[in-house]
Amino acid sequence: MITLYQYLPAWTVPCISPYVTKVAYYMTIAGHDFETKPQDLTRLDKDTPAGKLPCIVDTDGTAVNDSTHIIEYLRAKYGDTLGAGVTPVEQAQMMAFNRMIDEHTYWVAVIQPRWRETANWEKYLRIIAGTEDVPAGLRAFGDDFRFRILNEFMNGGWGRMSAEVIYRRARTDIDTLSDFLGSKTFFMGDQPRWIDASVLSILRHIIDTPFDFDTKDYAASKPNLVAYMGRMKSRFGI
């Protein structure tokens, strides 16, 4: 059985990481049997090449990191059940949306509210700790990890932008997802595709979160996105 290493579950998602959630959703939609195991965060840099999750270990011991690489690996090894009949243009569209979500929407609609804004960070830290009374050691570890994330945020140029600019960009991403989905059953049409795992993951990590921020309410105001999430829940339980 495939083992998926993750952080911890919260609200309606299997993991607090959108990338781990994406892999879990992909394997669920594709019908792969898998189990999840919590990652020892003190060994994260030692256990994973990039010091990040997700990471899977296949039944033969093969370890693969990075959500997009993992999905590509699974499609190549076990058959591309979610890519049958996809045209080159559709494949290009899915890859472009995947890149937008991973490299843009994640930063402006997940990192900005959850890691940069202090009130949400305090709420997030308590979710991670599982208690309102965060132990001193865990707070020190969490604050150090937050510094690491925000350093990446600053180095990527995001930290130099105001929240107003960040959220304007985030709303544009939401508009783009909503406009492309339109009235389709799934993101690409009447059949689920691998991109649905990425789209659903980011929506769950925006709309369903317990944090307060601009883009959450904006995304929740899109009836077709909310209906899409409901269909995925009804069909796949995710």
Side-chain angles (χ1 to χ4, degrees), residues 74 196 199:
L74 294 172
D196 284 292
V199 173

Side-chain angles (χ1 to χ4, degrees), residues 89-133:
V89 170
E90 290 170 330
Q91 178 65 22
Q93 289 173 327
M94 289 193 288
M95 184 56 68
F97 274 110
N98 186 67
R99 289 282 190 264
M100 182 190 83
I101 291 168
D102 282 0
E103 308 298 341
H104 188 269
T105 316
Y106 169 75
W107 291 100
V108 298
V110 174
I111 296 299
Q112 166 67 30
R114 198 181 300 184
W115 294 87
R116 191 185 191 190
E117 298 174 8
T118 300
N120 285 330
W121 163 249
E122 288 296 328
K123 186 178 292 186
Y124 190 39
L125 184 59
R126 284 159 174 77
I127 291 172
I128 294 170
T131 177
E132 289 294 313
D133 187 17

Side-chain angles (χ1 to χ4, degrees), residues 131-143:
T131 177
E132 289 294 313
D133 187 17
V134 181
L138 181 57
R139 173 168 288 281
F141 180 85
D143 287 343

Side-chain angles (χ1 to χ4, degrees), residues 62 95-96 110 153 160-161 171 177 193 237:
T62 300
M95 184 56 68
V110 174
F153 194 68
R160 298 179 182 275
M161 299 179 188
R171 290 193 299 273
L177 293 173
R193 300 299 186 189

Side-chain angles (χ1 to χ4, degrees), residues 70-227:
I70 290 170
I71 291 173
E72 289 173 347
Y73 166 83
L74 294 172
R75 291 169 61 202
K77 182 171 181 179
Y78 293 104
D80 193 8
T81 58
L82 300 180
V86 169
T87 68
V89 170
E90 290 170 330
Q91 178 65 22
Q93 289 173 327
M94 289 193 288
M95 184 56 68
F97 274 110
N98 186 67
R99 289 282 190 264
M100 182 190 83
I101 291 168
D102 282 0
E103 308 298 341
H104 188 269
T105 316
Y106 169 75
W107 291 100
V108 298
V110 174
I111 296 299
Q112 166 67 30
R114 198 181 300 184
W115 294 87
R116 191 185 191 190
E117 298 174 8
T118 300
N120 285 330
W121 163 249
E122 288 296 328
K123 186 178 292 186
Y124 190 39
L125 184 59
R126 284 159 174 77
I127 291 172
I128 294 170
T131 177
E132 289 294 313
D133 187 17
V134 181
L138 181 57
R139 173 168 288 281
F141 180 85
D143 287 343
D144 181 68
F145 203 82
R146 183 191 186 198
F147 176 81
R148 172 173 163 176
I149 294 293
L150 292 181
N151 189 51
E152 293 180 15
F153 194 68
M154 180 63 73
N155 288 339
W158 307 110
R160 298 179 182 275
M161 299 179 188
S162 68
E164 179 183 0
V165 171
I166 290 282
Y167 284 134
R168 185 166 68 242
R169 295 177 70 129
R171 290 193 299 273
T172 298
D173 284 5
I174 293 299
D175 287 339
T176 301
L177 293 173
S178 178
D179 290 345
F180 188 83
L181 173 64
S183 60
K184 299 192 294 292
T185 301
F186 300 103
F187 197 67
M188 297 301 296
D190 59 1
Q191 296 294 325
R193 300 299 186 189
W194 62 265
I195 190 60
D196 284 292
S198 184
V199 173
L200 182 63
S201 175
I202 200 65
L203 292 178
R204 292 273 181 227
H205 279 270
I206 295 172
I207 294 175
D208 289 355
T209 62
F211 311 117
D212 297 318
F213 61 104
D214 168 281
T215 308
K216 173 183 177 178
D217 296 333
Y218 188 75
S221 74
K222 300 286 187 178
N224 69 331
L225 295 181
V226 175

Side-chain angles (χ1 to χ4, degrees), residues 42-58:
T42 65
R43 293 187 50 84
L44 188 61
D45 286 317
K46 295 179 180 179
D47 291 347
T48 62
K52 297 179 181 179
L53 295 179
C55 175
I56 66 165
V57 176
D58 205 349

